Amino acid sequence: MATLVVVMAGCTHRTAAGTPSGAPAPGASGSGAAAPTALVVQPDGATFRVTSVLSVAQAVTTGAGRRYQETSRVPGLLGKSPVSKLALTSAGDTVIATAPPDLTTGGEVKIKQNTVSLLGPGGRRDLSLPPVRGAAPRQAIYAAARGDAVAWLETPSTDLYGGDWSVFAATGGTTRLLGTSSGVAPGGHVPAPPGSAAPVLGDEFAYWPTAVPAGRKDQFGLAIAGRRLDGTGPMRIVVRDAGRPAADGKNLYYVRTTMFAPAFAENRYEIRLVDATGADRVAAAGRLRKGEEVSALAADAGTVSWIVTSADEEDEQARMYAWDAAANTAVQVNLADRGLSTEISASGRVLAWGNGSGNGDGGMYLLDLGAEPALFRLGEAQGLSYAFVAGDHLAWSVMGDDPQDPAGNVLVVGRRL
């Protein structure tokens, strides 16, 4: 196998809604430090102290450092089927979705049923349940992995507005349907939540954002649903007026802003925590300027990371915070675009991110939160800027000579030596 060298030299509307009775709480076991309960507001309006400020413009691209040995490459095509790379497991397998090419008839895209699989050095293993006869085909658009568990969301929608969903989980060699949007709305027809409907995994539960009926007909609010990974107990709404869930095994974190709770303060965001007892409280908070929003959230082992978007199109410097829950301090990373589509992958105190298919900075980055925070640029893949970290494994996109040919666009997976 080839050895990949990755430089690791350092760069010097309502208040809390609570958890409804009977809703699933995060797993009682797992890593992750509890958030501090004393919140002291800093001069900039944050409840945490920034100890280091980095910029992606200063990210290291060459030099001595840690090495990753390539273990696999995930192609853009398997046969004639396009491959979506959705997540990475700690064993180094990539969660992929494949399907025969979509058909376009009269300007309407007709998708084919996707198959979700694990693909790695040991080969390919399908996770999907057999399709239900007569059911509308669904595409798998989000996935998450933790330990030996994988969860993913499928939707029959082909536009940005419909959010009808089915969430599945595979663990211990068994795949289960955890819930469908018909469990939260009659007929299952709900709008898509802002930004992402990606599921996240704790030690025992899967969680995912969804729209839910609110008040009068055709009005919807936003909430986070959840269910045990083993399929026991019902799917329930864990918390309302909430979005962008993240889990570190023991705790569920989520975002509250006016986007998710219209009555909430317009100039403020809260990163909230639901602990293993179901108690809901503020973990960290900060000030938002007009036009800013929290666009991403990730958590693992007591480190919680989020992105505050830039305020307008002229300002291309979004801010990412990597917050240490035990110390109540954060490393700030200034990004090189608005941060509207950036997705963060977290494993321990290592973060990786890219801006997906979005415009702006197509770079992929890794942040190592060691004794001295170190920031690295993994490469660039405009329109396919994806980076994942899980356990000792790291993966990022590499474009072929012709980016329009999906066969040459691969995800490179390497293991730290």
Side-chain angles (χ1 to χ4, degrees):
M1 290 289 184
T3 297
L4 312 176
V5 179
V6 178
V7 180
M8 301 297 285
C11 307
T12 307
H13 309 7
R14 301 171 195 91
T15 55
T19 303
S21 175
S29 61
S31 61
T37 56
L39 299 176
V40 178
V41 179
Q42 305 294 319
D44 64 356
T47 61
F48 53 90
R49 184 169 57 90
V50 173
T51 56
S52 181
V53 179
L54 308 176
S55 170
V56 295
Q58 302 168 322
V60 176
T61 57
T62 60
R66 294 181 184 170
R67 294 155 58 119
Y68 284 81
Q69 184 179 46
E70 182 178 327
T71 58
S72 64
R73 289 196 168 206
V74 180
L77 289 175
L78 286 175
K80 295 183 178 181
S81 298
V83 178
S84 297
K85 299 103 171 179
L86 302 178
L88 181 69
T89 74
S90 58
D93 294 322
T94 302
V95 183
I96 65 169
T98 57
D102 299 335
L103 296 176
T104 302
T105 304
E108 179 183 0
V109 177
K110 295 184 177 180
I111 61 175
K112 303 291 183 65
Q113 177 63 42
N114 283 198
T115 298
V116 174
S117 311
L118 289 176
L119 182 63
R124 179 177 176 180
R125 178 164 64 91
D126 290 346
L127 302 177
S128 293
L129 294 172
V132 177
R133 188 182 186 92
R138 300 183 303 265
Q139 56 179 330
I141 55 176
Y142 300 111
R146 183 179 180 84
D148 71 345
V150 177
W152 66 94
L153 181 144
E154 298 181 6
T155 179
S157 175
T158 57
D159 61 47
L160 298 176
Y161 308 104
D164 302 15
W165 49 262
S166 299
V167 172
F168 299 84
T171 181
T174 301
T175 297
R176 301 174 178 87
L177 174 63
L178 295 187
T180 67
S181 52
S182 61
V184 300
H189 302 305
V190 295
S196 171
V200 299
L201 296 179
D203 287 340
E204 300 175 31
F205 290 87
Y207 307 96
W208 57 94
T210 181
V212 292
R216 291 173 296 183
K217 184 179 180 181
D218 298 329
Q219 286 190 336
F220 289 85
L222 295 168
I224 295 170
R227 191 176 181 187
R228 294 186 67 92
L229 287 167
D230 62 9
T232 59
M235 177 191 74
R236 294 188 183 275
I237 298 301
V238 180
V239 63
R240 296 178 182 271
D241 295 335
R244 310 205 187 281
D248 66 2
K250 180 179 180 181
N251 303 310
L252 168 68
Y253 293 89
Y254 68 91
V255 174
R256 179 163 285 143
T257 65
T258 54
M259 177 180 287
F260 307 109
F264 193 71
E266 292 186 358
N267 65 344
R268 177 177 168 82
Y269 69 86
E270 289 181 349
I271 308 300
R272 299 188 64 92
L273 162 68
V274 183
D275 65 20
T277 70
D280 184 335
R281 64 180 185 270
V282 178
R287 184 176 297 156
L288 292 175
R289 297 191 295 265
K290 185 176 181 180
E292 292 182 337
E293 183 54 61
V294 177
S295 63
L297 183 69
D300 194 53
T303 299
V304 185
S305 304
W306 62 91
I307 291 173
V308 176
T309 64
S310 57
D312 56 55
E313 294 182 2
E314 302 301 321
D315 178 8
E316 293 191 343
Q317 192 175 86
R319 308 183 301 281
M320 186 180 83
Y321 295 97
W323 175 67
D324 185 321
N328 196 29
T329 59
V331 173
Q332 176 179 323
V333 180
N334 294 329
L335 307 183
D337 64 17
R338 297 189 62 196
L340 299 175
S341 61
T342 303
E343 299 176 2
I344 308 171
S345 176
S347 181
R349 290 179 58 77
V350 178
L351 308 175
W353 68 90
N355 74 349
S357 59
N359 297 319
D361 180 16
M364 295 158 289
Y365 301 91
L366 184 144
L367 176 64
D368 189 331
L369 294 164
E372 291 292 334
L375 178 62
F376 316 95
R377 183 179 173 93
L378 302 173
E380 181 171 341
Q382 193 69 48
L384 286 171
S385 180
Y386 296 100
F388 306 104
V389 62
D392 291 333
H393 288 87
L394 173 69
W396 67 95
S397 298
V398 174
M399 305 288 278
D401 294 336
D402 179 7
Q404 301 304 314
D405 179 7
N409 301 328
V410 304
L411 187 77
V412 177
V413 181
R415 182 173 184 175
R416 190 168 60 229
L417 295 175

